[in-house]
Amino acid sequence: MTSKLKVNVIADGGDNAIMTSDGSGTLTLNNAALKNTPAFEATRTSDQTLSSSTYAKIQFNTETFDTAGAYDNTTNYRFTVPSGQAGKYYIYASATISSDAQTQFNFGNIVIYKNGSEYRNLISDHRANPVYRPYVAVHAIMVLAVSDYIEIYGRVNSGTTPKIQGTNANYFGAYRLIGA
């Protein structure tokens, strides 16, 4: 004997649809608390010069997706938590750092900044071969309030014309965690 529950709408006590189905298997979550949103990812596909020993904001200027319009890819290159979306977020970023053919550098790093202050830092220590382009990634689970903002900065410790190499391996993203 098999039991089945067949419904197209699951509603709360106030008759607000929490989930709906179109009858052919497509489920729509109507409650924001059940979604991993807001979510976004942006990339940097052209070179960006870095200053030696000075942090520079990485300008991830091409949005792959942005469910809430919470990432600014033209002015300040930051993710800002929208109204009503406070919670725990998974934040991630990566960059490929390089320098010109005559210059070596010992390490490069990228840093997550929260509200203008360093939050998480990851260093790639590679005692550089000038043709080696280290891929550096950083990630964190962060508790964010409405209007908190996240930015990514990068630097190298020395070198001439260090830069974020223009590749599709450069990205910055975040999404809200549900049930955490």
Side-chain angles (χ1 to χ4, degrees):
M1 181 171 159
T2 305
S3 296
K4 238 187 247 190
L5 176 63
K6 294 170 95 175
V7 297
N8 285 341
V9 176
I10 296 177
D12 64 15
D15 206 26
N16 300 299
I18 297 170
M19 291 187 282
T20 57
S21 172
D22 65 1
S24 58
T26 302
L27 179 67
T28 302
L29 300 174
N30 300 317
N31 186 314
L34 300 174
K35 298 178 185 181
N36 287 76
T37 58
F40 83 95
E41 185 171 274
T43 62
R44 172 115 199 134
T45 55
S46 60
D47 291 354
Q48 178 184 336
T49 301
L50 297 176
S51 298
S52 295
S53 301
T54 302
Y55 284 105
K57 186 186 306 185
I58 301 174
Q59 299 173 353
F60 296 95
N61 56 0
T62 304
E63 285 182 338
T64 306
F65 64 90
D66 186 354
T67 64
Y71 181 72
D72 178 349
N73 70 323
T74 58
T75 307
N76 60 28
Y77 308 100
R78 69 171 58 154
F79 167 72
T80 304
V81 177
S83 178
Q85 300 297 318
K88 293 182 178 115
Y89 283 78
Y90 179 69
I91 310 292
Y92 59 94
S94 76
T96 302
I97 302 173
S98 69
S99 192
D100 66 20
Q102 289 76 40
T103 306
Q104 296 183 8
F105 54 92
N106 291 331
F107 69 84
N109 66 312
I110 61 174
V111 181
I112 296 173
Y113 270 61
K114 176 182 176 184
N115 299 331
S117 297
E118 184 177 318
Y119 181 83
R120 174 87 27 101
N121 184 335
L122 184 71
I123 296 174
S124 170
D125 181 3
H126 58 84
R127 308 287 180 232
N129 167 342
V131 297
Y132 178 63
R133 286 159 175 72
Y135 170 81
V136 185
V138 63
H139 56 93
I141 294 176
M142 303 171 69
V143 176
L144 300 177
V146 170
S147 299
D148 280 349
Y149 63 92
I150 303 298
E151 303 163 304
I152 305 298
Y153 283 74
R155 76 177 179 108
V156 296
N157 70 324
S158 63
T160 304
T161 64
K163 61 188 171 190
I164 301 296
Q165 180 95 21
T167 73
N168 58 5
N170 299 316
Y171 51 83
F172 169 30
Y175 55 88
R176 191 167 62 97
L177 300 172
I178 58 172

